Amino acid sequence: MNDFDLGDFLPYQLAVLSERVSRDFAQHYRSRFGISRAEWRIIAHLSQANEVSVRDIHLRAELEKSKVSRAAARLEAAGYVTKTANAQDRRLVSLALTDKGRALMDEMAPIADAFQQRAMAQLGDDAAAFLAGMRALLHDPGETRDD
Amino acid sequence: MNDFDLGDFLPYQLAVLSERVSRDFAQHYRSRFGISRAEWRIIAHLSQANEVSVRDIHLRAELEKSKVSRAAARLEAAGYVTKTANAQDRRLVSLALTDKGRALMDEMAPIADAFQQRAMAQLGDDAAAFLAGMRALLHDPGETRDD
DNA sequence: GATCTATCGTTGCAATTGCAACGATGTCAA
DNA sequence: TTGACATCGTTGCAATTGCAACGATAGATC
């Protein structure tokens, strides 16, 4: 016998919570806008910065680079994103939102904000500490290998 | 333009954190014990309760029921788990750890505990509030559909 | 400049996945 | 009892995924 307690085990609880939250949120855009989770994540990412490479998203969004590559290809085909060779380093592909992509993001932003509001309400007094904890876990070195 | 901020957006940050944490932790059991994430989750789940159905795990661990079914079949083939028809309701399959399964869990528990310890240390003062927040998000009704 | 090594994004391919059936079982009302 | 309907776990199948190449480019060393 051992004293392991699943109820407090971070990787497990985090995975359950994350999956549930992402699934719930995906209901708001999946069928309505016809984009997948990875595609949403890329669009959201691009809305925050001007020029982003596949690698940037791969590392920051914790998405397989092949997944990013294929999702970006789909988004380009749908007219939401442009892919251009980076002038400084021609190995890099610069991803950027088109006008259509920005319009999509503008339409999704209020939905995301509303969702966020509800989550914050659920957190109540713990909200600030929860976000602080998440940042601590995200930005601390930990033992994450970076490729 | 909109005011959406990805840096605080819960579904996104939670997904990134969860993926990173689960991947890091998986390094400790994946190659060593030859089990997948889903398989680990099922074993951990079974270690906490005597008799569990596929459906129980599907709902509580937020895993597709087909994923649970297949992972359970692999675990049975590997000798870690038994599958028996529930006597009260013969539609249900009761999953339970074998001695070999319990031995495996006893071997993994200290590893999990050590990982948990390190995560708690990273959280520092925010630890209690973070766990409380996680519970709030997990157990509140939210808008989760249950199938 | 030539060579060696590292990095980037894409792609082939096998493995995994999600979803929609399906058969088996249970429930409930007529 | 029967019939209609719901639930459980499995499985077929198409789609997605992860991983390991690969070509192209960059950087470093000589």
Side-chain angles (χ1 to χ4, degrees), chain A residues 81-147:
Chain A
V81 158
T82 56
K83 291 168 56 180
T84 56
N86 181 304
Q88 281 73 45
D89 184 339
R90 305 221 333 277
R91 292 172 302 179
L92 301 181
V93 169
S94 287
L95 302 174
L97 290 178
T98 61
D99 287 344
K100 186 179 172 188
R102 261 185 298 276
L104 177 61
M105 186 60 204
D106 285 346
E107 208 172 345
M108 293 194 291
I111 300 174
D113 287 338
F115 190 92
Q116 178 77 2
Q117 289 281 63
R118 247 177 296 133
M120 290 299 116
Q122 270 189 60
L123 282 170
D125 295 338
D126 297 321
F130 183 82
L131 292 179
M134 219 161 59
R135 268 189 291 272
L137 291 172
L138 276 169
H139 301 312
D140 268 18
E143 55 179 317
T144 309
R145 59 192 161 93
D146 54 6
D147 207 10

Side-chain angles (χ1 to χ4, degrees), chain A residues 47-93:
Chain A
S47 79
Q48 304 292 104
N50 300 29
E51 229 183 318
V52 179
S53 71
V54 170
R55 177 171 190 274
D56 289 333
I57 299 183
H58 160 56
L59 289 179
R60 290 201 227 158
E62 213 66 52
L63 289 171
E64 267 300 311
K65 62 181 182 173
S66 58
K67 207 171 179 179
V68 177
S69 174
R70 291 192 254 242
R74 284 195 300 270
L75 288 172
E76 187 189 31
Y80 294 127
V81 158
T82 56
K83 291 168 56 180
T84 56
N86 181 304
Q88 281 73 45
D89 184 339
R90 305 221 333 277
R91 292 172 302 179
L92 301 181
V93 169

Side-chain angles (χ1 to χ4, degrees), chain A residues 32-54:
Chain A
R32 179 118 87 106
F33 303 107
I35 60 176
S36 70
R37 282 191 208 177
E39 285 158 17
W40 149 256
R41 287 215 231 169
I42 291 176
I43 290 177
H45 218 280
L46 294 180
S47 79
Q48 304 292 104
N50 300 29
E51 229 183 318
V52 179
S53 71
V54 170

Side-chain angles (χ1 to χ4, degrees), chain B residues 101-129:
Chain B
R102 262 185 297 276
L104 176 62
M105 186 60 204
D106 285 346
E107 207 171 347
M108 291 194 292
I111 301 173
D113 286 338
F115 190 92
Q116 178 77 2
Q117 290 281 62
R118 248 176 295 134
M120 289 300 115
Q122 269 189 60
L123 281 170
D125 295 338
D126 296 321

